Amino acid sequence: MDVGFTEEQEMLKKSARDFLEKEFPKAVLREMEKDEKGYTQELWRKMVDVGWLGLAIPEKYGGADQSFLDLVILLEEMGRAALISPFFTAVVLGALPILNAGTDEQKSELLPKIANGELIITLALNEPGVNYYEPGIATTAKADGDTFVISGTKVFVPY
């Protein structure tokens, strides 16, 4: 049984490493540690241009329709470079759940926007003075016809 990467996956790994070494050197990492936004729009656009945001999104939604393993290879290189960006929240915690559990309408509306970098989805877990465990959550979601109205306050909402 061959458990190694395919030639294409090795190329993805090398191209991701080369890209990050060029576009996200340690000096940029140090700058981003102090930046309130937490990432650069210029680097985000370059990541869009090389197709990273749509890597695991199907072609019919503007993505490249690659495998989860391909995504993991890319994430490993991002971790190696200590990349600061909303990639993980937008793609892994945003696009993948929509892809797996969203309605056809949600997929058609949101996935192309994530793949082209127009939409950044992020987490909003913590509330003032409490953590994200259920007993401490005061934010509510109430049905209002075909939609929901979310009321509450969240703190530490990255990106």
Side-chain angles (χ1 to χ4, degrees):
M1 173 184 226
D2 182 9
V3 294
F5 294 144
T6 66
E7 185 177 331
E8 291 81 11
Q9 290 168 331
E10 289 290 351
M11 287 174 29
L12 171 64
K13 183 180 181 81
K14 182 180 181 337
S15 67
R17 184 172 292 188
D18 292 347
F19 175 91
L20 291 165
E21 285 175 356
K22 178 183 176 203
E23 301 295 340
F24 197 73
K26 297 299 180 217
V28 174
L29 170 63
R30 298 292 176 236
E31 290 173 28
M32 288 298 94
E33 288 178 323
K34 299 171 189 155
D35 187 287
E36 186 176 301
K37 188 173 182 182
Y39 70 101
T40 70
Q41 192 64 36
E42 178 185 354
L43 180 58
W44 187 250
R45 289 301 331 151
K46 289 178 180 180
M47 291 167 57
V48 169
D49 291 344
V50 295
W52 287 359
L53 277 76
L55 188 76
I57 295 174
E59 286 181 19
K60 71 180 186 177
Y61 301 119
D65 203 19
Q66 298 297 305
S67 73
F68 189 76
L69 179 56
D70 296 327
L71 180 60
V72 170
I73 291 168
L74 180 58
L75 288 168
E76 181 179 34
E77 289 304 315
M78 289 177 172
R80 182 181 179 277
L83 177 67
I84 299 173
S85 88
F87 182 89
F88 188 81
T89 60
V91 175
V92 177
L93 301 178
L96 294 183
I98 292 168
L99 181 61
N100 291 312
T103 65
D104 289 339
E105 183 180 332
Q106 290 168 329
K107 292 174 189 178
S108 295
E109 179 185 343
L110 301 173
L111 293 177
K113 291 178 182 177
I114 294 170
N116 71 22
E118 178 184 342
L119 178 64
I120 296 174
I121 294 178
T122 191
L123 293 174
L125 291 176
N126 296 51
E127 296 187 357
V130 297
N131 54 36
Y132 52 83
Y133 293 108
E134 190 273 326
I137 296 173
T139 299
T140 60
K142 295 188 180 178
D144 183 15
D146 291 341
T147 64
F148 284 86
V149 175
I150 299 173
S151 300
T153 301
K154 296 292 183 175
V155 294
F156 184 66
V157 180
Y159 310 112

